Amino acid sequence: MNPLNAYFPLKNKVAVITGAARGMALHIAGALSAADARLAILDVREQEGHAVARMLGGAQDRARFWQLDVSDNNAVRRTIAAVEAYFGRIDILINSAGVHADNASAQGLSIKQWEKAMQANVNGSILCSKHVIAAMARAGGGSIVNVLSLCGMDGERQEAADHAAKAALRMANMNAIRYAEHNIRVNSIYPGVVRPQELAAAKRKQGDLTQALTDTAELRMMTNRGAATDVAAGILYLVSDASRFVSGSELVIDAGYGGW
């Protein structure tokens, strides 16, 4: 028996995962699949999305891909309805889709950059949550997890739109009280930098290579085994019955890096 099945069983559960064609969301999808959940893979990347669905679905066709721009309200509504019609229920929503606005400061932003970050990183998660509530209520309850960023908690000088978008989504946890009567839980997770080279690349982009090397060395000591699967394990906890009394919470998985 897979140990994930013993501690965090998701058999007969249906999970909707946005942005799951690549990156951390792909690892999240893999963890939920290993725990026996059926998967709805949502992403704008059609070719990669179909490949992920084939990989995780297996011969039993336990995963299916839907192409979706999460910032499109009508498309989100139609897709959530299609997922429920196909699988018969929806129990889990992982809001992990988003875009990187690639900006230096609020003053340097164009309106287009700001709107792009807000539409994908804020509106997308809110729309998916909005349209999945009724399906979860019909299934007897569910779990929504918003994948945010440490920058949404303490902020930085760079990438103002990304940080503002992530911070805005902290307000989404207010839904935890609103939908508790339907047995629907809402939590947020804050992944740290699980690959030191990503931090170094970000620092180089800011023009501070010395700090990049220092931060990378310190991070490597603290997160020697850090990986996207460690974040996926936290998600697995939040969507399983092991956390049935956990709602409106924020889980930080960063080896203490965010507190430096």
Side-chain angles (χ1 to χ4, degrees):
M1 174 183 292
N2 189 312
L4 292 177
N5 293 340
Y7 292 100
F8 307 105
L10 297 179
K11 188 174 183 180
N12 299 322
K13 301 288 187 180
V14 175
V16 175
I17 309 169
T18 67
R22 61 168 64 169
M24 187 176 295
L26 173 57
H27 290 274
I28 293 169
L32 301 191
S33 176
D36 236 4
R38 291 175 290 169
L39 308 178
I41 306 296
L42 311 185
D43 205 296
V44 294
R45 304 174 183 89
E46 185 173 10
Q47 185 174 354
E48 292 173 73
H50 280 298
V52 170
R54 287 193 298 270
M55 176 180 68
L56 297 179
Q60 297 179 328
D61 195 27
R62 296 179 57 82
R64 184 173 177 178
F65 170 73
W66 280 266
Q67 187 176 29
L68 176 66
D69 174 357
V70 295
S71 67
D72 184 331
N73 179 54
N74 289 329
V76 171
R77 176 178 50 79
R78 290 192 300 267
T79 301
I80 294 299
V83 170
E84 185 185 19
Y86 182 80
F87 286 112
R89 62 187 297 134
I90 297 177
D91 306 276
I92 297 164
L93 169 64
I94 310 298
N95 283 316
S96 50
V99 299
H100 180 62
D102 193 21
N103 55 79
S105 67
Q107 291 80 7
L109 281 173
S110 69
I111 294 300
K112 184 176 181 179
Q113 285 177 309
W114 179 266
E115 290 180 344
K116 180 180 179 181
M118 294 301 145
Q119 287 172 1
N121 299 346
V122 179
N123 296 357
S125 294
I126 291 175
L127 290 174
C128 289
S129 297
K130 167 185 171 67
H131 291 296
V132 84
I133 291 297
M136 286 186 172
R138 285 189 286 270
S143 175
I144 298 174
V145 179
N146 297 307
V147 181
L148 304 184
S149 170
L150 291 175
C151 66
M153 301 187 77
D154 51 27
E156 293 180 8
R157 290 173 297 174
Q158 290 78 22
E159 302 171 1
D162 291 342
H163 296 185
K166 295 299 186 181
L169 275 177
R170 297 187 75 181
M171 301 299 291
N173 272 19
M174 290 183 177
N175 289 331
I177 298 298
R178 182 181 298 274
Y179 301 116
E181 62 181 296
H182 299 297
N183 194 32
I184 296 173
R185 299 182 294 109
V186 184
N187 294 288
S188 297
I189 195 164
Y190 295 83
V193 181
V194 295
R195 294 184 178 88
Q197 63 268 29
E198 292 179 357
L199 178 63
K203 291 296 184 181
R204 288 192 191 97
K205 190 173 183 180
Q206 297 166 16
D208 191 348
L209 181 57
T210 300
Q211 189 61 45
L213 296 175
T214 301
D215 286 354
T216 300
E218 291 174 337
L219 184 62
R220 183 175 290 113
M221 287 189 293
M222 293 190 68
T223 60
N224 185 42
R225 297 184 180 180
T229 50
D230 296 312
V231 176
I235 296 265
L236 184 58
Y237 163 70
L238 288 176
V239 302
S240 72
D241 289 340
S243 64
R244 62 189 179 188
F245 201 58
V246 178
S247 192
S249 295
E250 298 177 314
L251 177 59
V252 178
I253 302 180
D254 72 339
Y257 184 75
W260 290 9

